[in-house]
Amino acid sequence: MIGGRGTLVLALLVAAGAAVLLLEPPPPPERPQPPDLLGEPKAVDPTQQAPPLLSFTAREITRVVLTRQGRRLEAVRAGEGWSGAERANAIPDFLDNLSQLGELMRLDDSPAALRDYGLESPQAEIELHPASGAPLVIVLGDRNPAATAAYVRIGRSGHVALAGALIVWEFDKAYRALGG
């Protein structure tokens, strides 16, 4: 049991700790970092959500076209299901997962960069047709050197970005579901 002195000492310690916390100045605001001398991409803040690769909901897509090495496979929404797919139940999962993929970083889209990213002769292409509006296209290039991401082009002539490697896995899974 703590006596009168112990209680007094404990109360003083708590008061001193509270005073330090209250009197400590707030941290300075973060300033944007200057560009890296070697042109390296800036670090990504893991607390911020990446913007979506494409903005759509799975329910609005009526046709999915996947192309790899010139072979074009297609599935068309038929009521609540999909026709043209060997495993039609995989298409809704593909669309849901694709709608949640984010753009990790925008990249240079010069002709030399397209060649370096494997987008001059793409690996594959995803084409989604909504009920209304123009098709949504993602062109898949090579994986990055660490194989943690893939280079993509949003649209056939749009900007180039880095997307998580999950996009390649999702494409492969959907392509097999369509009979590829």
Side-chain angles (χ1 to χ4, degrees), residues 6-161:
T7 304
L8 180 61
V9 170
L10 188 59
L12 288 173
L13 286 174
V14 169
V20 168
L21 289 175
L22 290 173
L23 297 175
E24 185 177 323
E30 287 189 32
R31 285 188 266 159
Q33 302 219 346
D36 187 295
L37 291 176
L38 301 175
E40 292 293 319
K42 300 214 185 305
V44 176
D45 183 356
T47 62
Q48 292 192 358
Q49 186 171 355
L53 280 175
L54 296 175
S55 186
F56 73 95
T57 61
R59 296 288 310 154
E60 69 185 288
I61 302 301
T62 59
R63 188 165 62 118
V64 175
V65 180
L66 303 178
T67 306
R68 175 185 279 155
Q69 298 174 344
R71 185 168 179 211
R72 194 173 154 99
L73 301 176
E74 182 176 326
V76 177
R77 188 180 295 275
E80 291 299 311
W82 290 86
S83 66
E86 288 182 5
R87 292 190 330 269
N89 61 340
I91 303 305
D93 289 341
F94 169 68
L95 292 172
D96 283 335
N97 293 337
L98 188 61
S99 72
Q100 296 174 37
L101 290 179
E103 181 179 295
L104 301 178
M105 179 184 308
R106 282 200 182 202
L107 302 170
D108 177 21
D109 59 0
S110 68
L114 292 178
R115 186 174 42 257
D116 292 343
Y117 301 146
L119 291 164
E120 189 176 66
S121 299
Q123 305 292 318
E125 185 178 280
I126 300 168
E127 188 177 311
L128 307 177
H129 294 264
S132 62
L136 306 170
V137 176
I138 299 177
V139 179
L140 301 175
D142 294 336
R143 290 182 186 221
N144 69 339
T148 57
Y151 301 107
V152 299
R153 186 167 211 169
I154 308 303
R156 291 186 180 92
S157 60
H159 71 273
V160 175

